Structures are given as C-alpha cells and as structure tokens.
C-alpha cells in the first residue's frame, strides 16, 4: 500500500515529461513535413519560373537574330554604289530595330567603313562610324572575320549599343558586315511587345536590368528566392531579364501567413498543455494533501472517541465494583462519567454535523432567540470540564441586546467548540472569558483565552477543514481539525463570520458574529 503513492508519483514524473516531449515532437514533425511540402512547392514554382525566364529571354534573342538573318539574306556586298538599297526598301517593316548596316574592309590593317546603308540622320551615322572604327572593332576581337553571326553589347559614353556582325568575302577581300541595332527602340517597342502581354502579365511579372542593376524596363520586383534572373544569352547579354511568377508571390505570402498561423497554433497548444499539466499537478497535490489530512482526521477522531469512552468505562467499573467508598467520591465519579459522555456526544455531533456540511446537506432551523441565553447554556455545558481543569469560565452578556434569528443547537455547538479549544490549547490560562456584545449590524460572541495565541500565518488556515495548527500537532494535543471549520460554516449560515485575533495582554480571541435582523438563513459556503 505504501508503495502506491510512490508508484503514482513516479508515473506522474515520467508521464508528464513524456507528454511534454510528445507534444513538442508532434509539433516538430508537423513543422518539418509542412516545411518540406512548402519546399517542394517552392521548388516546382522555381522550376516553372526558370522555364518561363528562359523562354522569355530566348524570345528577344530570336527576334534580333531573325532581323539579322533578314539583313543577311537581302544584302549584296558587290553592290557598292547602291549598298543595302534592297534592305532599306523593307527595313521599317521587316527589321524595325536595325538603324544601319555598315561594311568594313578588313583586308588592310587600317580598317575602315567602305559602305553604309542607314535609316539614321547623317550626323548620327558619322558619330556611329567613328565609334565603330575607334572602339567597337577593337572590342569585337575579330581577327579574320568568318561568316558566323556574332553580337557585341556594350555601353559607350553612357549609351547602350547592340551590334550584330559577320564576315563575308568578295573579290578576294575580307569584309565585316555590321548591323547597328537601335537599343532605345528595342526597349520601347520590342520589350513591351514581348513582355507586356496582358495574359502573360497575369501569370508573371518581368523586368530587365542593366549590368549595374538599374531597371531598363518593367516594374521593380521583390528580390528573393522566387524572383529569378536570366541573362540574355546572345544579344543583349549585358542585361538580365528577371521574372517573378504571380503565383510565386501569392505562394510566398500564403507561406508566411501559414507559418505565423502554425506558430501561433503550436504556441497556443503548448500553453494549453502546460497549463493543463500545472492544473493537474496542483489538483493532484491538493488531493494528496487532503487525503493525508483525512487520514489524520480518522486517526484523531478515533482517538478522541476512545479517550472519553475509556474514562466512562473505568469510572463506571469503579462504581460497579463498589470501590468508591465515600459519597463524595461516588458523586465525583458520576460527574466525570456525565461530562465525558457529554464530550463524547459533542464530538459525535461535531463529526455528524461536519459530514452534513461536507455533503452540502447542513440544514439549520432558525427561530428568534436571545443569543446571550443560548451562549450561556453552551458555557454551562463546558463548566464541569473547566472546573476539573481549574479554569474559570466568565460570561459577560451586554445588556439590551436585540433577539436574533438563529439555530439554537448550531450556535451551542459552535460556542462549545470554541470553549473546548480554549481549554485544550490554553491550559496554562486560569480564565476563559466569553462575552456577547453588539458590533454594528452584528452580535458578536467572543471567546478569549490566556494561552500562547496563534501564529499569524495560521490564523486563516485553521478555519479550513482538517487543518490543525503547528503547535497543536507539536504538543500532541488530540483533535480532529474540523471544529473551527464547523464554527465558520455556522457563522456564515447566520450571515456572520468567524475569525481570530490576538488577545490582550496574551492569548487569542475567537470571534463568531451573527447578523441582526435577518429572518432567512443565508446559504453558507461548503468548506
Ligand atoms: P482541532 O482542535 O480538533 O485540532 P479545530 O478546527 O478546532 O480542530 O482547531 C484547529 C486548530 O486551531 C487547532 O489544531 C489549534 O492548533 C488551533 N486552535 C484552535 N483554538 C485555539 C486556541 N484557543 N488557542 C490556540 N490554538 C487554537
């Protein structure tokens, strides 16, 4: 039997951490799988975005190269007089971003432009020619030009240039054909055509940034995992095309929202679990304390019953055997028997009344009485015991007190309990004063002893059921711990209260108050 609480405690100490660990493991697993799911979804979005970015970047390369090929197909290098006239005829429609086509002689070391077909004004042509000869040709790094189509994308004096070029041979001479693309036109006409399609815009958002990260086209995009950049592979290779899937943005927002929700839910569940555990632990501690108190109570009550019973038996036997030879002795023995039986009856009554209070069945019978008379009767019931212990009981009832509604028997029990306690716990005092007086709207019964008093920390809790004061247990004074709980219950049923304060000059004063002028009993709290 003794092992049971230990086993239960062990179980509690193992079970509770196990529950907490379980909750956290569960939360962790949940987190992990949702995180992995998110990652997978993110990965698929990234793949889709990448595919889209590639396709979009390729669109531009394709358009430019298409135009280069158109130029290439219509250009006749031998027609030096009328260079590029055929191209110029259809230039605006077929090659809208090409400004000019130039022919550079590569045979001599001092390369120069030998023919030009242009849609640009003369001054600009001249400026471009100089730029081409002095800078671009060097940057193109073309040794002996072959006929492969190549591109140069570079900034000169803050302006971006795109050149397509390839080599041709004619009459034993090497030439380089240079196609000058109009970059501003690509940005203003071609980009919107390629990337600002309404249907596309619903699905994704696109911008183009230059080598320094400045936006050349399109809106600013949120940088991060779900915006993907891809350089144009062949033509505008210094620039980067960025793509964000609209669904990716929604996904990111949804993920962030869900994460907050999950965190909150996990946090709340954690709090609920921990709060639940605390409540269970407190309840268990309370229950175990109460159960200990109850065991003490049973032991104490049994002892309390046994002591007067053995006295009654002993003095009864003495009388029976005729060993009490004088009348005086016989009377004394009989008195002890009577007072011990009364004590026994009072204790049984206490226990029974307390049991009723515990079950919530305490019923009081109220009628109008003089409180002074009721208290006097209770004091009389204690007098024999007091005299035996050489203690004087003094009763002081104030004059002219109003009669009150009370349960006579209950008040008697309460007063007997208080006087009995004073006799038990203040044995050195020679006098116990019981007084009845008015205090505001209440009548108060005060029982003052000259004992050691009560420690301040005990003053409230001794009115709780089964609780016994430290000194009482220390000195092995027998008791059940229900007397004051009963007194408090009775006082509350009479609209009053019960409490204790220091006596003067020493001891303690227990006070029980009863409300004046109340006809209906108040429902008292069960302790
Ligand atoms: P019991 O007397 O059976 O222990 P009670 O409920 O009547 O139970 O009293 C509770 C505790 O209050 C006692 O154990 C004792 O410590 C303390 N007590 C009660 N009356 C007095 C008193 N007059 N002087 C000192 N302590 C007291």
């Amino acid at each position: 039997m003794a092992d049971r609480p230990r086993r239960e405690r062990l179980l509690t100490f193992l079970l509770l951490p196990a529950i907490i660990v379980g909750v956290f493991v569960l939360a962790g697993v949940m987190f992990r799988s949702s995180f992995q799911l998110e990652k997978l979804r993110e990965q698929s979005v990234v793949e889709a975005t990448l595919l889209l970015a590639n396709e979009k970047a390729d669109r531009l390369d394709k358009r430019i190269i298409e135009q280069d090929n158109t130029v290439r197909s219509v250009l006749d290098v031998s027609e030096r007089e009328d260079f590029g006239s055929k191209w110029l005829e259809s230039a605006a429609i077929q090659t809208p971003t090409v400004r000019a086509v130039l022919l550079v002689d590569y045979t001599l070391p001092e390369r120069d432009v030998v023919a030009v077909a242009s849609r640009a004004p003369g001054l600009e042509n001249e400026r471009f020619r100089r730029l081409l000869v002095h800078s671009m040709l060097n940057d193109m790094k073309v040794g002996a030009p072959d006929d492969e189509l190549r591109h140069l994308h570079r900034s000169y004096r803050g302006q971006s240039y795109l050149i397509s070029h390839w080599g041709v041979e004619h009459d034993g001479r090497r030439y380089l054909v240079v196609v000058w693309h109009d970059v501003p036109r690509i940005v203003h006409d071609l980009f919107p055509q390629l990337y600002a399609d309404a249907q596309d815009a619903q699905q994704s958002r696109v911008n183009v940034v230059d080598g320094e990260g400045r936006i050349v086209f399109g809106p600013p995009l949120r940088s991060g995992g779900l915006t993907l950049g891809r350089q144009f592979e062949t033509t505008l290779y210094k620039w980067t095309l960025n793509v964000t899937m609209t669904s990716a943005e929604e996904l990111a927002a949804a993920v962030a929202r869900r994460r907050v929700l999950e965190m909150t839910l996990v946090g709340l569940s954690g709090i609920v679990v921990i709060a639940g555990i605390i409540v269970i632990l407190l309840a268990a501690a309370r229950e175990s304390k109460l159960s200990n108190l109850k065991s003490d109570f049973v032991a104490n009550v049994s002892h309390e019953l046994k002591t007067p019973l053995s006295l009654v038996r002993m003095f009864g036997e003495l009388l029976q055997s005729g060993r009490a030879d004088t009348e005086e002795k016989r009377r004394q023995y009989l008195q002890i028997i009577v007072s011990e039986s009364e004590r026994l009856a009072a204790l049984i009554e206490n226990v029974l009344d307390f049991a009723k209070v515990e079950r919530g069945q305490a019923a009081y019978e109220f009628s109008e009485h003089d409180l002074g008379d009721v208290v006097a009767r209770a004091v009389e019931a204690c007098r024999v015991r007091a005299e035996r212990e050489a203690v004087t009981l003094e009763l002081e009832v104030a004059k002219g007190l109003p009669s009150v509604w009370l349960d006579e028997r209950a008040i008697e029990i309460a007063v007997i309990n208080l006087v009995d306690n004073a006799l038990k716990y203040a044995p050195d005092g020679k006098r116990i004063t019981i007084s009845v007086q008015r205090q505001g709207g209440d009548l108060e019964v005060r029982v003052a002893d000259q004992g050691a008093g009560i420690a301040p920390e005990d003053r409230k809790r001794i009115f709780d059921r089964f609780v016994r004061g430290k000194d009482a247990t220390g000195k092995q004074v027998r008791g059940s711990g229900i007397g004051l709980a009963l007194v408090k219950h009775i006082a509350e049923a009479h609209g009053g209260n019960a409490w204790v304060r220091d006596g003067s000059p020493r001891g303690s004063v227990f006070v029980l108050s009863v409300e004046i002028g109340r006809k209906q009993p108040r429902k008292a709290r069960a302790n």
Side-chain angles (χ1 to χ4, degrees):
M1 274 302 271
D3 270 359
R4 219 175 119 196
R6 204 183 308 152
R7 233 184 302 140
E8 276 168 10
R9 224 173 303 143
L10 199 73
L11 206 70
T12 314
F13 279 112
L14 287 178
L15 210 62
L16 292 184
I19 292 175
I20 295 177
V21 169
V23 167
F24 282 104
V25 167
L26 214 66
V29 169
M30 204 181 96
F31 249 145
R32 235 187 100 203
S33 51
S34 107
F35 188 71
Q36 277 170 345
L37 207 73
E38 242 35 282
K39 266 250 137 346
L40 274 176
R41 214 175 292 173
E42 203 178 296
Q43 207 176 325
S44 70
V45 170
V46 166
E47 276 165 16
T49 314
L50 199 66
L51 228 80
L52 196 72
N54 285 342
E55 190 264 320
K56 285 191 185 246
D58 289 349
R59 268 190 222 173
L60 179 85
D61 286 344
K62 221 167 114 198
R63 275 294 185 91
I64 303 283
I65 292 169
E66 261 171 25
Q67 295 185 59
D68 294 339
N69 287 335
T70 306
V71 173
R72 204 170 181 169
S73 64
V74 298
L75 202 70
D76 187 354
V77 185
S78 58
E79 280 180 357
R80 203 61 56 80
E81 292 299 301
D82 228 357
F83 180 73
S85 58
K86 226 166 152 197
W87 162 68
L88 276 171
E89 278 167 24
S90 58
I93 302 153
Q94 291 195 27
T95 57
T97 72
V98 180
R99 293 202 87 186
V101 181
L102 298 92
L103 193 66
V104 182
D105 190 342
Y106 247 67
T107 318
L108 300 170
E110 56 278 7
R111 291 147 197 168
D112 202 3
V113 175
V114 289
V116 178
S118 175
R119 293 164 62 202
L123 199 66
E124 279 188 42
N125 280 332
E126 181 47 27
R127 212 180 292 149
F128 180 75
R129 194 193 66 80
R130 260 185 275 134
L131 190 67
L132 179 70
V133 173
H134 295 121
S135 310
M136 287 179 176
L137 289 183
N138 294 333
D139 294 338
M140 281 177 204
K141 294 191 187 88
V142 186
D146 52 25
D147 58 358
E148 197 181 324
L149 174 64
R150 291 193 175 83
H151 294 91
L152 174 78
H153 179 214
R154 197 163 281 216
S155 274
Y156 295 97
R157 291 185 218 109
Q159 221 182 316
S160 192
Y161 285 89
L162 174 65
I163 306 297
S164 312
H165 55 92
W166 62 88
V168 279
E169 223 174 301
H170 180 66
D171 271 355
R173 299 185 82 85
R174 281 233 143 246
Y175 295 98
L176 186 75
V177 179
V178 174
V179 175
W180 172 21
H181 284 278
D182 185 348
V183 174
R185 192 151 183 178
I186 294 176
V187 171
H188 294 119
D189 294 350
L190 200 54
F191 278 171
Q193 263 178 44
L194 295 175
Y195 304 135
D197 179 63
Q199 208 184 346
D200 272 12
Q202 265 186 358
Q203 194 192 19
S204 61
R205 294 200 291 146
V206 172
N207 76 8
V208 177
V209 295
D210 66 12
E212 274 83 51
R214 282 185 299 246
I215 295 179
V216 179
F217 168 80
L221 298 181
R222 197 151 21 113
S223 56
L226 295 172
T227 296
L228 288 179
R230 151 84 149 73
Q231 267 180 310
F232 294 100
E233 206 166 305
T234 13
T235 56
L236 291 171
Y237 53 79
K238 291 271 174 183
W239 289 359
T240 306
L241 176 95
N242 291 312
V243 179
T244 301
M245 298 277 265
T246 337
S247 56
E249 283 185 334
E250 279 164 16
L251 182 77
V255 166
R257 254 180 285 133
R258 196 162 43 238
R259 195 133 303 155
V260 169
L261 191 75
E262 278 171 4
M263 294 277 258
T264 317
L265 280 180
V266 169
L268 279 178
S269 327
I271 290 172
V272 167
V273 169
I274 289 169
I277 288 170
I278 290 173
V279 167
I280 291 171
L281 281 181
L282 286 179
R286 222 177 104 103
E287 202 47 49
S288 123
K289 200 171 145 197
L290 202 67
S291 128
N292 287 343
L293 287 172
K294 274 182 182 163
S295 314
D296 289 353
F297 166 75
V298 172
N300 288 338
V301 166
S302 315
H303 193 276
E304 283 274 274
L305 292 173
K306 216 173 131 195
T307 317
L309 209 60
S310 11
L311 284 175
V312 168
R313 193 171 164 187
M314 188 176 91
F315 286 102
E317 279 172 2
L318 279 177
L319 286 172
Q320 196 185 33
S321 64
R323 264 189 279 164
D325 34 21
T326 62
E327 189 57 31
E328 172 68 34
K329 258 193 185 161
R330 267 199 295 279
R331 230 194 9 260
Q332 198 189 346
Y333 289 179
L334 278 172
Q335 211 167 39
I336 291 171
I337 290 174
V338 169
S339 84
E340 285 306 313
S341 323
E342 273 170 359
R343 211 176 132 196
L344 204 59
L347 179 69
I348 291 169
E349 239 172 307
N350 251 7
V351 174
L352 292 179
D353 282 2
F354 178 76
K356 275 191 201 158
V357 167
E358 278 289 275
R359 287 202 302 267
Q361 289 173 351
Y364 295 93
E365 283 170 23
F366 286 80
S367 50
E368 205 168 352
H369 286 282
D370 183 328
L371 182 62
D373 289 350
V374 178
V375 172
R377 270 201 299 281
V379 171
E380 277 323 301
C382 302
R383 206 171 282 285
V384 179
R385 187 174 162 212
E387 276 168 13
R388 204 171 64 224
E389 291 175 22
V391 175
T392 318
L393 295 185
E394 259 177 32
L395 177 66
E396 296 166 0
V397 179
K399 294 227 160 35
L401 294 178
S403 54
V404 282
W405 280 76
L406 50 81
D407 180 320
E408 197 183 351
R409 193 184 137 271
I411 294 289
E412 268 181 41
I413 287 177
V415 175
I416 290 173
N417 263 301
L418 293 178
V419 175
D420 196 52
N421 276 351
L423 286 167
K424 263 200 303 188
Y425 300 110
D428 313 330
K430 290 283 156 265
R431 195 186 327 122
I432 295 169
T433 313
I434 302 106
S435 61
V436 183
Q437 50 204 276
R438 186 176 184 144
Q439 189 69 40
D442 290 340
L443 290 188
E444 283 184 3
V445 180
R446 297 178 190 164
V447 179
D449 62 47
Q450 296 169 339
I454 293 165
E457 67 271 18
D458 272 356
R459 270 178 209 162
K460 229 176 128 62
R461 53 176 223 109
I462 52 172
F463 286 91
D464 289 341
R465 58 193 178 157
F466 309 130
V467 173
R468 310 203 60 220
K470 275 193 223 101
D471 291 350
T473 37
K475 284 184 202 155
Q476 299 293 310
V477 180
R478 281 288 164 178
S480 55
I482 59 171
L484 289 180
L486 201 59
V487 169
K488 194 168 176 74
H489 193 276
I490 292 168
E492 284 174 354
H494 286 76
N497 204 351
W499 66 95
V500 64
R501 62 165 185 256
D502 275 340
S504 144
R506 61 192 301 261
S508 32
V509 181
F510 280 85
V511 186
L512 177 155
S513 68
V514 172
E515 194 183 346
I516 302 171
R518 211 173 49 90
K519 294 204 170 177
Q520 284 306 309
R522 180 189 291 173
K523 219 169 163 35
R525 273 185 293 118
N527 279 307

